[in-house]
Amino acid sequence: MIILKSYQQEAVDDLIKSTYSLLRTPGGRLKMIFDAPTGAGKTVTMAAFINKFCEELPDKIDLEQKQVAFVWIAPNQLHLQSFDSLKSYFSELRSVKPIRFEDITDRRLKAGEVLFLNWQSINKESNLFIKDNENDQTIIGYINNSRLHNIEIILILDEAHLFASKGKAAQEFMQSIYAKIEIEVSATPMFRQSAKKSVQITRHEVIEAGMIKKGVVLNPLLNSHEQNQKSLNQILLEQALAKKKQLENGYKKLGININPLLLIQLPNDSKSETVIDLKVVDEITSLLKIKNITEENHRLATWLSSKKVNLDFIEKPDSMVDVLLFKQAIALGWDCPRAAVLLIFREIKEETFTIQTVGRILRMPEQKHYQDLSLNYGYVFTNLSRDVINIVKDDMDYIVQNKAIRSNGYKPIGLNSFFINTRLERNRLSSKFRRCLYDAADELFDLATNPEVSGTESIFIYNERRFKECFIELDVNNIEISIPKNVNLSPDIGVTYVEQVERFAKTKSELDILFRQFCRNHVGKYAKVDSSPVLELALKLFFEDYLGASEFQAIKIILYDQNRPRFVDLIDRAIDKHEYLLKQKASQASKLIEESKWDVPVERIYNEFYREQSALTHALQPFYEFINTSKTEKEFVDYLETNREYISWWYKNGVRNKEDFAITYIGADNIIKGFYVDFVIMLKNGLIALFDTKTPDSDSDFCGKHNALIQYVRENTTPEKPIIGGIIVSKGAGKEQVWRYAPTEITEPRITSEWVSFIPALGR
């Protein structure tokens, strides 16, 4: 018989109380949340709740409905794990009976039965579980038949965030079931806002009970002085193995037979292994072989899509497997309490990166803490640089890239937005791109390619001097990455800025991979597979032609932290020139202007060129600002924050994606283009302001963009949705600084006598 922890018993009582309350409430599909962190024992707690509820229900004289059956749905194979757990738990009891679809008798569910279903198996119209048939032997048919026998249905959604919001099919199925109550069981609940009742187990309670570790330490005692020509991957592996050995010795000193497990996660999130994955696998397995850790001697286990080795009994405390090599797709619900160290290899500059759980190493193997404090913590080693790591209070299960979330109080505004789809049939960089890159570099850095321009200097010396005058560092010996060191993660730390770091030099092979990834991330809208090699070659030839630099030196100059934003700007300019060439070839009829309703995105991922800044009123929190943001934009942000008592929210718009807000205008070259307005602002009086900050000489299309925005405001403003906008400029400085815009069309950006001031305090 399982004895519940005190926090589990309290949760059971709260779940029962909430369920009784909802049974008395009219209607159906009443949502309830059971929110508990990884390692809290959600399945055991739910089992105890179901058992106690079914025992008490017949005696509740104030409830009209006294017979209840449960439908438990889980993703992947998690339903089988839950079924086995509950079957064992209820083996000696009569009040509850766990069943599977084939166990249903009399074509209905009976009181006290818990039907376990796999989401993937029922989320198909062709599946026999739900497909209409002559005998009506479907889940829906069985549930409807149960209601005819006065059986109320309670639906349990285990790990609902992985399936319950996955489109129309999910919603239609749950609507067809139309359970009286839907209970979402998750560490990351989805239905907080719509839930009628909520039961929560806090992480602190679970830690105090000794069920999970007190915290996680990121890159403990990392030392760059030990690099000695080793790759960062090798150093991290050696550190992780050393930490595993330290924990192993700690258990031995206490007389406990536990072999702590090291988990190694591969860099790619795709379902199958990529070339990068396989390179990491080869490197790591070779290094492990030197340590006598191999699949052949059963000290190494592998869990990949194409290969599964030595996984039998790996969860046992004394298993001889020391290391498990896996991908993110390790089985949901996999429980291995001896897992203690996690080594994560990621592509450092991958813009859409999100790391999954460190929850795999949070469980305590004996559900208690030890006198040896090192055994009460989990340890994570990662090649993520400091700049892309964000540690958030009460969210220890995730280490993420710079991600901002939309504020809860946001109300949709549904602005009409326009995206110009100029994609040609061949969506890749052409052979013309190299010329575009050279032209963009000549304009940006004032470089030379012929002796007449450089005068008495050689071309290479002239260009080197021009680069240095533009603050481009050319004397780059090493590319280093700042790795956070010895960072303690605990439930009470709040948001942490990582200060203590170690810097590691990248090897040539690592730089090649990093450069390839850099090029993949910066080919704009073009197909990465076809266009990345074009960009790589163009950049290398550019340095050879302009500086006489080798490929290796070119890569180091481009990837150097100080230089990288300048070369991203260069590439963006070259891509714009390339698109212009394509537009000249494309007929006007081939363009497609797509109109859609726009709102501030629910979330947005920012790459390494953004830094977190304080901006309490920004619609996404935290606020990330581009490192090369103009002085004018910075001053306008300060102005908005100074007036935040009059502003509901403001949003710094993106600049080129379909998800960014844009209008259309005719450029000076008579080509229709997209205008991505800098700022969308919602004043507290309901007025929407659309402003783009500029100085009078900063844009040849100044008047064209402003006039198009004025026309947009005129066509889209309504009494219910009043809008103002235009290009806005700064006048004066300090306390006398004002921000002015023209409320009508203009022909000259410097004639501002008729312009008006934007004053949030006055609601205009």
Side-chain angles (χ1 to χ4, degrees):
M1 187 69 181
I2 296 176
I3 299 177
L4 298 179
K5 300 287 186 180
S6 59
Y7 71 83
Q8 293 172 329
Q9 186 59 60
E10 291 175 6
V12 168
D13 295 340
D14 288 344
L15 285 166
I16 290 176
K17 182 179 178 181
S18 296
T19 303
Y20 287 150
S21 175
L22 292 180
L23 286 176
R24 298 185 185 97
T25 303
R29 299 199 65 187
L30 304 174
K31 290 180 171 55
M32 179 164 67
I33 288 172
F34 177 34
D35 178 0
T38 301
K42 294 188 290 291
T43 302
V44 168
T45 304
M46 285 299 295
F49 150 68
I50 293 171
N51 179 58
K52 187 174 181 181
F53 175 78
C54 290
E55 286 180 344
E56 291 183 358
L57 185 60
D59 298 326
K60 300 295 289 185
I61 59 175
D62 59 328
L63 285 175
E64 181 179 344
Q65 185 62 275
K66 293 186 174 60
Q67 296 187 98
V68 170
F70 298 83
V71 178
W72 185 306
I73 303 178
N76 304 324
Q77 297 301 308
L78 188 60
H79 74 298
L80 295 179
Q81 298 177 42
S82 300
F83 173 77
D84 291 338
S85 297
L86 267 70
K87 191 173 183 179
S88 173
Y89 184 87
F90 294 128
S91 60
E92 299 178 3
L93 304 173
R94 296 183 179 179
S95 57
V96 177
K97 180 182 179 182
I99 62 172
R100 295 166 69 176
F101 186 80
E102 56 268 27
D103 301 324
I104 296 175
T105 58
D106 300 329
R107 297 169 59 181
R108 64 184 176 90
L109 300 182
K110 300 181 176 64
E113 289 186 334
V114 185
L115 172 62
F116 286 85
L117 299 174
N118 165 248
W119 174 250
Q120 282 75 14
S121 69
I122 59 178
N123 192 28
K124 299 176 183 176
E125 293 183 1
S126 60
N127 195 283
L128 294 178
F129 288 0
I130 62 172
K131 187 177 180 181
D132 291 337
N133 56 66
E134 295 180 358
N135 299 321
D136 201 21
Q137 294 178 346
T138 66
I139 291 173
I140 305 303
Y142 290 162
I143 287 174
N144 290 335
N145 199 26
S146 302
R147 290 195 179 95
L148 295 177
H149 288 78
N150 295 318
I151 302 293
E152 195 69 89
I153 302 297
I154 294 179
L155 181 63
I156 298 172
L157 304 172
D158 197 0
E159 303 292 355
H161 62 283
L162 295 177
F163 68 89
S165 65
K166 304 298 183 184
K168 183 179 178 181
Q171 295 304 318
E172 287 182 349
F173 179 74
M174 288 188 286
Q175 180 66 27
S176 298
I177 290 180
Y178 203 77
K180 175 67 177 180
I181 302 171
E182 294 178 4
I183 305 176
E184 180 189 0
V185 182
S186 176
T188 55
M190 297 171 43
F191 304 136
R192 289 190 187 279
Q193 295 182 342
S194 59
K196 300 291 185 183
K197 297 289 182 179
S198 179
V199 176
Q200 182 181 30
I201 294 174
T202 67
R203 192 183 307 279
H204 180 73
E205 290 176 304
V206 186
I207 292 173
E208 286 296 304
M211 293 285 283
I212 62 175
K213 296 181 174 71
K214 293 185 176 182
V216 174
V217 183
L218 182 66
N219 290 338
L221 305 178
L222 209 54
N223 188 352
S224 60
H225 298 295
E226 298 176 357
Q227 184 159 16
N228 297 327
Q229 305 301 315
K230 298 176 183 176
S231 71
L232 179 57
N233 287 358
Q234 183 176 351
I235 292 171
L236 290 170
L237 176 60
E238 291 177 351
Q239 292 282 348
L241 286 170
K243 176 56 68 174
K244 173 200 151 33
K245 187 64 177 177
Q246 177 194 345
L247 299 177
E248 187 179 332
N249 292 334
Y251 284 122
K252 286 181 179 178
K253 287 181 181 179
L254 295 175
I256 302 171
N257 188 19
I258 292 177
N259 180 24
L261 180 65
L262 165 61
L263 307 177
I264 301 179
Q265 183 175 356
L266 294 184
N268 192 277
D269 289 335
S270 62
K271 293 182 180 179
S272 59
E273 287 69 58
T274 66
V275 173
I276 295 175
D277 289 337
L278 298 177
K279 283 186 177 180
V280 174
V281 172
D282 290 342
E283 180 182 7
I284 297 306
T285 52
S286 297
L287 293 171
L288 288 173
K289 189 173 183 179
I290 297 173
K291 305 286 186 182
N292 196 32
I293 300 175
T294 66
E295 292 176 349
E296 289 73 20
N297 63 18
H298 302 285
R299 295 182 63 192
L300 174 64
T302 304
W303 192 332
L304 305 178
S305 60
S306 58
K307 184 179 182 183
K308 294 177 176 60
V309 179
N310 294 333
L311 296 178
D312 293 339
F313 310 113
I314 192 174
E315 300 89 353
K316 287 195 170 185
D318 59 350
S319 168
M320 67 186 299
V321 174
D322 292 317
V323 178
L324 171 61
L325 188 65
F326 76 105
K327 287 194 54 173
Q328 183 164 338
I330 194 168
L332 180 67
W334 181 71
D335 187 4
C336 185
R338 73 182 181 97
V341 184
L342 177 61
L343 171 54
I344 306 169
F345 291 115
R346 307 301 300 186
E347 278 311 293
I348 305 159
K349 305 301 181 186
E350 194 170 341
E351 295 185 9
T352 58
F353 163 72
T354 301
I355 254 188
Q356 199 180 348
T357 181
V358 298
R360 307 263 182 215
I361 59 169
L362 284 180
R363 288 180 171 84
M364 292 301 296
E366 295 184 308
Q367 297 186 359
K368 68 177 183 179
H369 293 145
Y370 304 103
Q371 289 183 336
D372 184 345
L373 297 181
S374 67
L375 300 176
N376 299 331
Y377 287 83
Y379 300 90
V380 176
F381 295 84
T382 178
N383 61 357
L384 283 173
S385 68
R386 174 185 68 181
D387 295 336
V388 297
I389 286 184
N390 187 28
I391 303 160
V392 184
K393 181 180 179 181
D394 291 333
D395 197 15
M396 275 185 1
D397 287 355
Y398 295 90
I399 303 172
V400 300
Q401 196 186 19
N402 297 334
K403 181 166 80 170
I405 306 295
R406 192 171 70 188
S407 302
N408 287 332
Y410 178 87
K411 295 181 180 179
I413 57 175
L415 290 177
N416 293 322
S417 181
F418 303 87
F419 178 75
I420 301 177
N421 189 345
T422 57
R423 180 185 299 178
L424 302 180
E425 289 185 12
R426 296 178 63 190
N427 182 32
R428 62 187 182 191
L429 293 177
S430 71
S431 58
K432 303 289 186 183
F433 176 75
R434 180 180 165 193
R435 183 68 262 164
C436 295
L437 181 72
Y438 285 22
D439 289 345
D442 292 344
E443 294 174 6
L444 189 59
F445 304 123
D446 190 21
L447 302 177
T449 53
N450 67 74
E452 293 181 4
V453 176
S454 59
T456 58
E457 295 177 307
S458 74
I459 293 174
F460 295 159
I461 296 298
Y462 174 86
N463 289 333
E464 182 176 327
R465 180 169 57 81
R466 286 297 306 134
F467 269 126
K468 290 181 178 179
E469 289 172 355
C470 294
F471 303 103
I472 300 294
E473 180 60 56
L474 300 178
D475 299 323
V476 181
N477 293 321
N478 291 312
I479 295 294
E480 296 180 328
I481 177 174
S482 297
I483 300 295
K485 165 184 171 183
N486 205 28
V487 182
N488 288 294
L489 314 185
S490 70
D492 306 313
I493 60 175
V495 177
T496 295
Y497 177 73
V498 179
E499 294 183 352
Q500 193 175 5
V501 300
E502 287 288 320
R503 298 185 67 85
F504 291 87
K506 305 297 288 181
T507 64
K508 185 179 184 305
S509 61
E510 289 175 327
L511 283 179
D512 287 338
I513 294 175
L514 197 57
F515 179 63
R516 194 169 300 120
Q517 187 65 48
F518 171 83
C519 291
R520 285 178 61 85
N521 287 342
H522 294 290
V523 292
K525 299 176 292 185
Y526 296 100
K528 296 181 185 298
V529 173
D530 295 326
S531 300
S532 297
V534 177
L535 177 56
E536 289 180 45
L537 180 60
L539 288 170
K540 291 175 181 177
L541 290 176
F542 165 72
F543 276 90
E544 181 180 333
D545 291 344
Y546 280 79
L547 289 176
S550 67
E551 288 187 7
F552 186 43
Q553 190 62 23
I555 291 173
K556 289 194 290 184
I557 293 171
I558 294 169
L559 296 182
Y560 186 60
D561 283 349
Q562 175 183 317
N563 298 340
R564 194 198 303 249
R566 303 299 303 278
F567 286 107
V568 171
D569 185 24
L570 170 63
I571 294 168
D572 286 345
R573 289 169 182 255
I575 287 176
D576 287 343
K577 287 180 176 294
H578 185 262
E579 289 183 356
Y580 179 71
L581 287 179
L582 296 183
K583 288 174 184 177
Q584 287 182 317
K585 294 181 179 180
S587 65
Q588 195 72 17
S590 68
K591 292 185 177 182
L592 175 64
I593 299 177
E594 301 175 9
E595 182 178 356
S596 62
K597 293 295 183 182
W598 179 89
D599 273 284
V600 173
V602 175
E603 67 178 35
R604 182 174 166 188
I605 300 294
Y606 293 86
N607 65 24
E608 68 271 23
F609 302 120
Y610 288 80
R611 297 290 182 267
E612 183 178 340
Q613 302 291 346
S614 176
L616 301 179
T617 323
H618 192 252
L620 299 183
Q621 288 294 325
F623 170 57
Y624 288 100
E625 184 178 71
F626 184 55
I627 58 178
N628 284 340
T629 293
S630 68
K631 179 183 177 183
T632 304
E633 282 191 10
K634 287 178 179 287
E635 290 177 345
F636 190 63
V637 167
D638 290 341
Y639 181 72
L640 294 176
E641 284 298 296
T642 301
N643 287 274
R644 60 175 172 264
E645 62 181 299
Y646 311 109
I647 296 174
S648 294
W649 55 261
W650 59 270
Y651 176 65
K652 179 61 180 70
N653 191 30
V655 295
R656 63 172 59 232
N657 296 315
K658 193 173 181 179
E659 295 77 20
D660 301 324
F661 172 70
I663 67 171
T664 58
Y665 76 103
I666 305 296
D669 52 8
N670 205 35
I671 292 178
I672 189 167
K673 300 178 180 179
F675 175 22
Y676 294 85
V677 183
D678 285 338
F679 293 91
V680 181
I681 306 159
M682 172 61 76
L683 299 184
K684 288 189 175 178
N685 67 351
L687 182 68
I688 299 172
L690 308 174
F691 288 126
D692 197 87
T693 58
K694 290 191 188 304
T695 56
D697 298 321
S698 62
D699 193 335
S700 60
D701 283 333
F702 188 112
C703 295
K705 289 180 177 178
H706 173 83
N707 294 340
L709 187 50
I710 291 298
Q711 182 178 348
Y712 175 90
V713 169
R714 189 179 295 130
E715 293 175 352
N716 288 274
T717 192
T718 65
E720 297 78 22
K721 190 188 295 182
I723 305 174
I724 62 172
I727 289 182
I728 194 166
V729 299
S730 170
K731 298 290 184 181
K735 293 183 178 180
E736 296 182 359
Q737 185 183 41
V738 295
W739 292 89
R740 307 188 71 198
Y741 70 99
T744 57
E745 285 85 352
I746 62 174
T747 57
E748 169 54 53
R750 291 189 175 277
I751 301 176
T752 61
S753 57
E754 302 297 324
W755 292 26
V756 298
S757 297
F758 171 53
I759 308 175
L762 299 180
R764 60 175 175 81

